[in-house]
Amino acid sequence: MIYTVTLNPAIDYVVQVEKFRAGQVNRSKADYKEAGGKGINVSRVLDRFGVSSTALGFVGGFTGKFITDYLTSMEIRHRFVELTEDTRINVKMKSEAEETEMNGVSPTIEDNHYQELLNQLKGLSSEDIVVLAGSLPQSLSKSAYRDMVAMLNEKGVPTILDTSGAPLTEAIQASPAFIKPNHHELADLFDEEINNDEDIIALAKRLHNEQEIEHVLVSMAKDGAIYVGSAGVFKLSAPKGHAVHSVGAGDSAVAGFIYKWQETNNAREAAQFAVAAGSATAFSKTLCTKAEVEALLPQVVVKEIE
């Protein structure tokens, strides 16, 4: 079973306006609400690929019920830990020229809530995969992901990690199986400047060799991605298209890697599918479908570097 862990989920309230004007009344042309959070998005994309998963994490209050009802309506399994405070709401305001976001405050995660989640993870086996994705609530330690990865490694459970900042810096020390930093996050990890592909490869190799991370996929937006890991070193081109929906593109790439990795056990094919999946979501108004990914797949050219 694949388990996705979203420690800081949200309702994403998406509002479309003609032109956002600060300090004035803005009237929406359209709006919609959906369950948000990187791990939840991975579960949603996997579901579109025909792959089952179980969503874990924390939810609370009427907003938390919206998230569980939303996933239930999609027949996506979930076992969230119930909080006393409401799950946050993120407002994403879209106009023709730009996107403006306002992210809500995270609820407090008490120690008993955190221990309940850890107990869920302790029951997993080497036949499972765990996706740890998204930001951390302020009430959790920056080492939360690191602790989870270390615990799951002891049980032989491979972990897929997609986060940034201090939580990423901490967690790589526990050697997750897969990480997907962008080139800016990679530079921040080592506090070094990146000027070209060679710089990216050198830093990614340090993660692979020194931190023993099996798969490192560095995303570079329109410039594609670079993979460094057990399958070698190669660069993947990005499909051509018009970006209309940036939210969930990275989560789609993670889901794409997992889907193809499970199907073929081939990291090269998994990385190629991941790049196509991220682009398919970016070119769509919502999360990608399998058909959209497969249509873009021929455009993702893989060039061996080493």
Side-chain angles (χ1 to χ4, degrees), residues 149-175:
V149 172
M151 180 188 72
L152 290 164
N153 280 349
E154 289 180 0
K155 301 177 67 63
V157 181
T159 51
I160 310 295
L161 177 69
D162 187 16
T163 189
S164 60
L168 176 61
T169 303
E170 287 278 341
I172 60 173
Q173 299 177 53
S175 303

Side-chain angles (χ1 to χ4, degrees), residues 51-65:
V51 176
S52 297
S53 68
T54 298
L56 306 177
F58 304 110
V59 296
F62 76 99
T63 46
K65 186 176 185 303

Side-chain angles (χ1 to χ4, degrees), residues 181-193:
N182 61 41
H183 56 295
H184 300 297
E185 292 164 346
L186 182 66
D188 290 342
L189 269 177
F190 294 97
D191 194 24
E192 293 191 17
E193 188 174 323

Side-chain angles (χ1 to χ4, degrees), residues 40-285:
I40 288 173
N41 285 342
V42 172
S43 280
R44 291 174 58 195
V45 176
L46 286 172
D47 179 66
R48 288 171 173 241
F49 293 167
V51 176
S52 297
S53 68
T54 298
L56 306 177
F58 304 110
V59 296
F62 76 99
T63 46
K65 186 176 185 303
F66 174 90
I67 289 175
T68 55
D69 288 348
Y70 188 95
L71 294 178
T72 298
S73 70
M74 294 183 170
E75 299 184 349
I76 296 175
R77 287 190 289 264
H78 53 82
R79 292 210 318 264
F80 290 100
V81 175
E82 291 284 342
L83 306 177
T84 53
E85 296 181 20
D86 292 338
T87 295
R88 64 191 180 134
I89 299 174
N90 294 339
V91 179
K92 303 179 184 297
M93 193 170 297
K94 296 187 177 185
S95 64
E96 293 182 2
E98 59 188 5
E99 295 181 11
T100 302
E101 296 190 18
M102 182 182 296
N103 291 341
V105 178
S106 306
T108 301
I109 311 299
E110 304 290 353
D111 186 62
N112 62 304
H113 300 139
Y114 183 55
Q115 291 303 318
E116 186 175 345
L117 175 64
L118 291 182
N119 288 337
Q120 290 179 329
L121 297 178
K122 287 176 182 177
L124 306 186
S125 73
S126 58
E127 296 182 356
D128 299 313
I129 294 175
V130 173
V131 181
L132 304 170
S135 61
L136 293 179
Q138 294 178 348
S139 53
L140 287 184
S141 166
K142 298 300 183 185
S143 67
Y145 280 144
R146 177 182 180 177
D147 297 339
M148 290 180 188
V149 172
M151 180 188 72
L152 290 164
N153 280 349
E154 289 180 0
K155 301 177 67 63
V157 181
T159 51
I160 310 295
L161 177 69
D162 187 16
T163 189
S164 60
L168 176 61
T169 303
E170 287 278 341
I172 60 173
Q173 299 177 53
S175 303
F178 170 95
I179 63 172
K180 189 199 63 61
N182 61 41
H183 56 295
H184 300 297
E185 292 164 346
L186 182 66
D188 290 342
L189 269 177
F190 294 97
D191 194 24
E192 293 191 17
E193 188 174 323
I194 288 178
N195 297 307
N196 49 47
D197 291 353
E198 288 72 22
D199 293 340
I200 291 175
I201 292 168
L203 296 181
K205 278 186 174 181
R206 289 174 61 179
L207 292 170
H208 176 60
N209 297 324
E210 298 172 16
Q211 303 297 339
E212 299 181 344
I213 299 173
E214 185 176 0
H215 308 288
V216 181
L217 184 64
V218 183
S219 58
M220 303 182 297
K222 62 180 178 62
D223 294 321
I226 288 177
Y227 170 93
V228 174
S230 58
V233 180
F234 45 84
K235 184 173 182 178
L236 305 104
S237 64
K240 303 298 182 184
H242 176 61
V244 296
H245 183 76
S246 61
V247 177
D251 311 323
S252 300
V254 170
F257 189 93
I258 296 169
Y259 168 76
K260 188 57 70 171
W261 185 24
Q262 278 208 313
E263 182 182 67
T264 66
N265 198 31
N266 185 308
R268 176 185 175 125
E269 292 183 18
Q272 186 179 28
F273 202 88
V275 172
S279 297
T281 287
F283 300 160
S284 174
K285 291 183 179 180

Side-chain angles (χ1 to χ4, degrees), residues 19-27 93:
K19 183 178 180 180
F20 175 67
R21 296 177 176 84
Q24 299 183 34
V25 175
N26 292 270
R27 301 191 184 280
M93 193 170 297

